């Protein structure tokens, strides 16, 4: 009887110890998982938090970007692009702050002033777009940023004409234009892109590789 009692007591103790060991192992696993989750949480530096792209910013091709008018809040972001030049499509003078940013970063400004007309009084000058395209196609100006005021109509027309040179179909050109213009899309802009003659530009090299400064 004593032996049976001792055996039962030892069995209970062994089960109790085994249960404690399992609990410890389970606790260790949970703790390890908790540590992994905590370590995987992204921590953004202050510099990363300050990288704010301009309105309607997007990459058009290697070394070619588009956006609305950048302001001082966007300068840190633009520095990461290592721009060589900016194609500005508005007739208004560049602001003092923007000019200072260009000078301090060695960025060349190409201005092709196109008035921001609204329908139905629209007159997009083909010669101006053609000259802007020549500047855009010159890889010596890459990386380059194209912008107007909102990055919708004038910028959209220039990019659309570039797409014609790249042999995009009209439906794809219009889809891209409408993605940026949204509710402000203009039939006149799309008509301009459709009728724009790229034949005089086809002899220009079509290389879009981003060059290091």
């Amino acid at each position: 009887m004593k032996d049976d009692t001792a055996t039962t007591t030892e069995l209970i103790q062994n089960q109790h110890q085994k249960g404690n060991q399992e609990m410890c192992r389970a606790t260790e696993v949970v703790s390890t998982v908790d540590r992994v989750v905590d370590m995987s949480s992204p921590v953004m530096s202050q510099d990363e938090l300050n990288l704010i792209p301009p309105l309607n910013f997007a990459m058009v091709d290697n070394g070619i970007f588009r956006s609305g008018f950048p302001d001082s809040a966007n300068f840190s972001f633009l520095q990461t692009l290592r721009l060589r030049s900016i194609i500005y499509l508005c007739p208004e003078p560049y602001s003092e702050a923007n000019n200072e940013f260009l000078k301090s970063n060695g960025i060349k400004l190409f201005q092709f002033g196109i008035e921001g007309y609204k329908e139905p009084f629209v007159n997009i000058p083909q010669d101006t777009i053609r000259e802007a395209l020549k500047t855009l196609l010159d890889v010596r100006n890459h990386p380059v940023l194209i912008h107007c005021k909102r990055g919708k109509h004038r910028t959209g027309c220039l990019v659309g004409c570039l797409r014609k040179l790249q042999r995009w179909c009209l439906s794809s050109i219009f889809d891209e234009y409408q993605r940026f213009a949204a509710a402000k899309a203009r039939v006149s802009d799309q008509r301009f892109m459709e009728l724009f003659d790229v034949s005089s530009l086809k002899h220009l090299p079509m290389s879009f590789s981003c060059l290091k400064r």
Side-chain angles (χ1 to χ4, degrees):
M1 194 71 180
K2 278 184 180 181
D3 291 341
D4 290 342
T5 302
T7 302
T8 302
T9 302
E10 289 173 0
L11 182 61
I12 292 171
Q13 289 174 343
N14 288 339
Q15 288 176 342
H16 183 67
Q17 290 173 352
K18 186 177 180 181
N20 286 340
Q21 290 172 352
E22 292 295 332
M23 287 177 65
C24 288
R25 279 198 291 270
T27 302
E28 287 172 2
V29 171
V30 171
S31 299
T32 302
V33 171
D34 286 344
R35 283 196 296 273
V36 172
V37 171
D38 289 341
M39 289 175 65
S40 66
S41 299
V43 178
M44 297 183 72
S45 68
Q46 189 60 42
D47 288 341
E48 289 173 321
L49 291 173
N50 289 334
L51 298 180
I52 304 169
L55 177 71
N56 276 330
F57 176 83
M59 183 176 183
V60 177
D61 209 308
N62 289 335
I64 302 177
F65 307 93
R66 62 178 291 171
S67 75
F69 198 103
D71 59 30
S72 57
N74 310 130
F75 290 168
S76 293
F77 175 83
L78 294 181
Q79 284 178 319
T80 67
L81 303 180
R82 300 182 64 81
L83 296 173
R84 278 186 172 171
S85 57
I86 284 179
I87 293 177
Y88 174 46
L89 300 176
C90 300
E92 295 81 15
Y94 228 39
S95 69
E96 185 178 342
N98 286 56
N99 269 321
E100 189 59 38
F101 172 76
L102 299 189
K103 289 178 185 177
S104 61
N105 289 276
I107 301 171
K108 188 172 183 179
L109 177 66
F110 295 93
Q111 184 170 3
F112 299 93
I114 301 173
E115 293 290 343
Y117 295 108
K118 295 184 179 180
E119 291 184 309
F121 305 104
V122 179
N123 180 26
I124 303 171
Q126 286 212 18
D127 289 344
T128 305
I129 291 292
R130 194 170 284 107
E131 289 304 310
L133 274 173
K134 289 178 183 178
T135 301
L136 181 60
L137 293 172
D138 190 342
V139 294
R140 292 172 297 180
N141 298 323
H142 294 184
V144 56
L145 173 69
I146 312 162
H147 80 81
C148 51
K149 186 176 180 181
R150 299 286 182 181
K152 296 181 178 181
H153 304 115
R154 287 165 281 195
T155 298
C157 285
L158 181 58
V159 171
C161 293
L162 170 66
R163 297 309 191 194
K164 287 193 76 172
L165 274 170
Q166 294 178 311
R167 299 182 180 179
W168 281 32
C169 65
L170 279 176
S171 60
S172 295
I173 292 173
F174 293 162
D175 283 347
E176 182 180 40
Y177 167 83
Q178 290 164 4
R179 194 161 66 246
F180 289 90
K184 300 289 186 179
R186 296 172 179 168
V187 174
S188 57
D189 286 349
Q190 294 171 82
R191 182 69 171 165
F192 173 83
M193 290 182 278
E194 181 181 1
L195 298 177
F196 184 79
D197 183 11
V198 297
S199 59
S200 64
L201 299 168
K202 287 183 177 178
H203 67 284
L204 296 173
M206 295 288 290
S207 173
F208 295 99
S209 58
C210 185
L211 301 179
K212 293 182 179 179
R213 298 190 66 174

